[in-house]
Amino acid sequence: MPEENTAAFTDQTNHTIYFTPHYFNPNLAKNDHYGSIIHEVSHMNDVASTQDYAYGGLGSHNLGKTDPNHAVQNADGYRLYMIGGERASWAGHVG
């Protein structure tokens, strides 16, 4: 079972994204909804086969500095790029 603040998760065995009750929280920003889908789709083997190495803008930024090979395969990096980086509500303390 995913952590309480997890909005969605991917099951590669049946090529499915599952949305948790957190995803439907009315206080969740629209960017978080779009971003969750982008993040999870990037995990699909026939899309980008990404992994979860770091989360948020700060985590993704630091990963890029310390481990560029993992940074290019980090699912949250795809999410941040697609929805506008530091404008994302999950972006952390970038800037």
Side-chain angles (χ1 to χ4, degrees):
M1 195 67 175
E3 295 179 23
E4 183 178 335
N5 65 346
T6 298
F9 60 97
T10 303
D11 183 346
Q12 289 285 356
T13 61
N14 61 10
H15 211 258
T16 303
I17 297 172
Y18 294 96
F19 298 98
T20 68
H22 182 69
Y23 182 86
F24 300 100
N25 179 339
N27 296 320
L28 199 63
K30 286 189 184 213
N31 278 352
D32 290 340
H33 287 110
Y34 308 143
S36 293
I37 294 169
I38 294 164
H39 177 111
E40 296 305 326
V41 167
S42 77
H43 283 310
M44 300 287 183
N45 291 331
D46 57 345
V47 176
S49 196
T50 61
Q51 300 295 315
D52 292 323
Y53 295 113
Y55 293 98
L58 182 60
S60 295
H61 179 77
N62 288 341
L63 184 64
K65 287 179 164 181
T66 61
D67 192 347
N69 291 325
H70 279 147
V72 298
Q73 284 302 114
N74 186 45
D76 228 34
Y78 281 66
R79 175 187 69 84
L80 290 165
Y81 176 77
M82 295 298 291
I83 63 173
E86 66 276 359
R87 291 185 306 247
S89 64
W90 290 350
H93 303 343
V94 174

